[in-house]
């Protein structure tokens, strides 16, 4: 199979080559996929992309014209792909689920960094300022963490916080009984009782803005909100308003509502900066990381392996199984 890998990062090249074992004719380029670079896909069978790549309907139209039959994304994020447009041309779409262990550990990283004022403390120390004022955190032991959604990442997150002595609440319509080490509750109860809320809803739920002005009003004052799932789950304007009022005490996020075309890039001189994101980044109780929750050695190796496996299956005329992210959401059938 002939494939072109867009937005290739330096650290991916060796891993993809090792996983491929020269089975497929793969072209690696650092350019993101957009209407200007789509012509590079001419003559290929598949494009392999990241979440910052543009797979809007006009780009999909051009990909179809160039003969592309398959789209594989190196991650779980598929919201940048117009799946309806792809379905019109019979294109198959696959994703690579994120490493649940890596993402769950990043949830803990964000919680601890926010709680213990780590960014502020390190900046002070680097300036030889060792004053402790304003650096008081809280014990996680005995606190209540609420998980909205209980995917694989949610399961590992529950284990981590359970082992830290936290009470773990879960809301997920697919669960019929309490998961191990956690208590199944309705969403309102979770909002009312949680000190920390972490989101774990997979793309197939097709839910947006579950965190909005109304849901925030039901939460404890000063609650910590963590999002390593999907940017569209947060009404960012309402979250910013709640942070400024003090209703929300902290925000830790590895995803952003309007991240397409923004993350993975280094453009400090850009003439346009998302004003809401810019304001969020100025707040001392906010940490936003550049979609790196799964950026671990083990996770990157698995992403490369699964990406090649997706190409293997397509070449053999097989379905990619649980990796499927086609427009009809056939992933739910496996």
């Amino acid at each position: 199979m002939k494939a072109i890998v867009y937005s290739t990062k330096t650290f991916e090249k060796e891993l993809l080559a090792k996983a491929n074992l020269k089975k497929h004719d793969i072209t690696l380029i650092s350019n993101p996929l957009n209407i200007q670079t789509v012509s590079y896909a001419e003559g290929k069978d598949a494009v392999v992309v990241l979440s910052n790549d543009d797979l809007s309907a006009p780009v999909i139209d051009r990909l179809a014209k160039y003969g592309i039959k398959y789209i594989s994304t190196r991650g779980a994020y598929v919201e940048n792909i117009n799946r309806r447009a792809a379905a019109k041309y019979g294109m198959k779409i696959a994703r690579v689920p994120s490493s649940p262990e890596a993402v769950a550990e990043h949830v803990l990283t964000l919680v601890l960094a926010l709680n213990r004022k780590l960014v502020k403390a390190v900046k002070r120390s680097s300036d030889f300022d060792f004053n402790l004022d304003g650096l008081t955190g809280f014990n996680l032991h005995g606190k209540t963490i609420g998980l909205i959604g209980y995917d694989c990442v949610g399961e590992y997150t529950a284990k981590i916080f359970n082992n830290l002595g936290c009470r773990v609440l879960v809301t997920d319509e697919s669960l019929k009984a309490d998961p191990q080490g956690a208590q199944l509750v309705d969403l309102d109860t979770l909002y009312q009782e949680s000190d920390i809320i972490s989101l774990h809803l997979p793309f197939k739920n097709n839910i947006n803005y579950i965190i909005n002005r109304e849901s925030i009003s039901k939460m404890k004052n000063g609650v910590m909100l963590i999002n390593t799932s999907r940017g569209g789950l947060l009404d960012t304007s309402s979250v910013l308003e709640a942070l400024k009022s003090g209703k929300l005490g902290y925000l830790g996020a590895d995803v952003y509502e309007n991240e397409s075309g923004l993350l993975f890039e280094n453009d400090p001189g850009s003439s346009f900066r998302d004003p809401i994101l810019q304001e969020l980044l100025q707040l001392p109780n906010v940490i936003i990381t550049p979609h790196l929750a799964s950026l671990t050695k083990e996770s990157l190796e698995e992403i490369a392996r699964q990406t090649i496996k997706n190409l293997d299956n397509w070449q053999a005329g097989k379905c990619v199984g649980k990796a499927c992210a086609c427009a009809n959401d056939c992933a739910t059938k496996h």
Side-chain angles (χ1 to χ4, degrees), residues 74-93:
R74 307 190 305 282
Y77 187 93
V78 295
E79 291 178 302
N80 59 322
I81 302 174
N82 189 318
R83 290 189 279 164
R84 185 167 295 179
K88 182 174 69 173
Y89 297 107
M91 291 182 184
K92 302 296 184 183
I93 303 171

Side-chain angles (χ1 to χ4, degrees), residues 70-141:
Y70 308 102
I71 301 169
S72 182
T73 181
R74 307 190 305 282
Y77 187 93
V78 295
E79 291 178 302
N80 59 322
I81 302 174
N82 189 318
R83 290 189 279 164
R84 185 167 295 179
K88 182 174 69 173
Y89 297 107
M91 291 182 184
K92 302 296 184 183
I93 303 171
R95 65 189 187 106
V96 177
S98 299
S99 163
E101 300 93 340
V103 179
E105 288 168 12
H106 193 65
V107 171
L108 177 62
T109 299
L110 289 171
V111 169
L112 288 172
L114 286 164
N115 171 27
R116 303 309 295 264
K117 317 291 192 297
L118 197 60
V119 174
K120 188 177 187 179
V122 170
K123 187 177 184 306
R124 279 191 192 176
S125 295
S126 66
D127 293 332
F128 256 69
D129 178 358
F130 301 106
N131 179 15
L132 298 180
D133 289 346
L135 299 181
T136 303
F138 57 84
N139 286 1
L140 289 177
H141 184 87

Side-chain angles (χ1 to χ4, degrees), residues 108-301:
L108 177 62
T109 299
L110 289 171
V111 169
L112 288 172
L114 286 164
N115 171 27
R116 303 309 295 264
K117 317 291 192 297
L118 197 60
V119 174
K120 188 177 187 179
V122 170
K123 187 177 184 306
R124 279 191 192 176
S125 295
S126 66
D127 293 332
F128 256 69
D129 178 358
F130 301 106
N131 179 15
L132 298 180
D133 289 346
L135 299 181
T136 303
F138 57 84
N139 286 1
L140 289 177
H141 184 87
K143 297 299 185 293
T144 298
I145 179 166
L147 307 182
I148 300 179
Y150 198 70
D151 59 2
C152 292
V153 177
E155 182 180 352
Y156 277 95
T157 303
K159 289 178 181 177
I160 288 172
F161 284 91
N162 187 266
N163 288 335
L164 288 171
C166 296
R167 174 188 179 218
V168 181
L169 304 181
V170 173
T171 181
D172 189 308
E173 292 180 356
S174 67
L175 294 177
K176 303 303 179 186
D178 291 347
Q180 186 174 2
Q183 178 185 352
L184 187 63
V185 297
D186 60 69
L187 192 54
D188 281 355
T189 299
L190 185 142
Y191 286 146
Q192 293 162 11
E193 299 186 12
S194 297
D195 302 296
I196 302 166
I197 294 174
S198 185
L199 302 173
H200 300 280
L201 291 168
F203 78 93
K204 67 183 180 183
N205 288 67
N206 200 27
I207 297 171
N208 286 320
Y209 285 1
I210 191 170
I211 303 300
N212 51 47
R213 186 174 285 106
E214 181 183 357
S215 59
I216 291 171
S217 70
K218 299 175 182 178
M219 298 177 189
K220 285 184 177 182
N221 292 333
V223 67
M224 181 185 292
L225 181 63
I226 304 292
N227 187 15
T228 56
S229 185
R230 294 188 294 114
L233 295 174
L234 269 60
D235 177 354
T236 314
S237 297
S238 296
V239 169
L240 176 59
E241 179 185 297
L243 285 163
K244 291 164 71 174
S245 72
K247 176 64 178 179
L248 282 179
Y250 315 80
L251 171 66
D254 190 53
V255 289
Y256 179 63
E257 183 179 356
N258 301 311
E259 69 180 48
S260 183
L262 172 66
L263 295 185
F264 309 117
E265 301 300 323
N266 179 17
D267 192 11
S270 174
S271 59
F272 173 77
R273 290 187 176 183
D274 185 312
I276 295 179
L277 178 59
Q278 197 166 6
E279 193 167 356
L280 280 172
L281 290 169
Q282 298 305 310
L283 296 176
N285 53 346
V286 171
I287 294 178
I288 297 178
T289 53
H291 218 136
L292 55 70
S294 60
L295 194 66
T296 65
K297 176 179 178 292
E298 294 82 359
S299 180
L300 290 172
E301 289 172 348

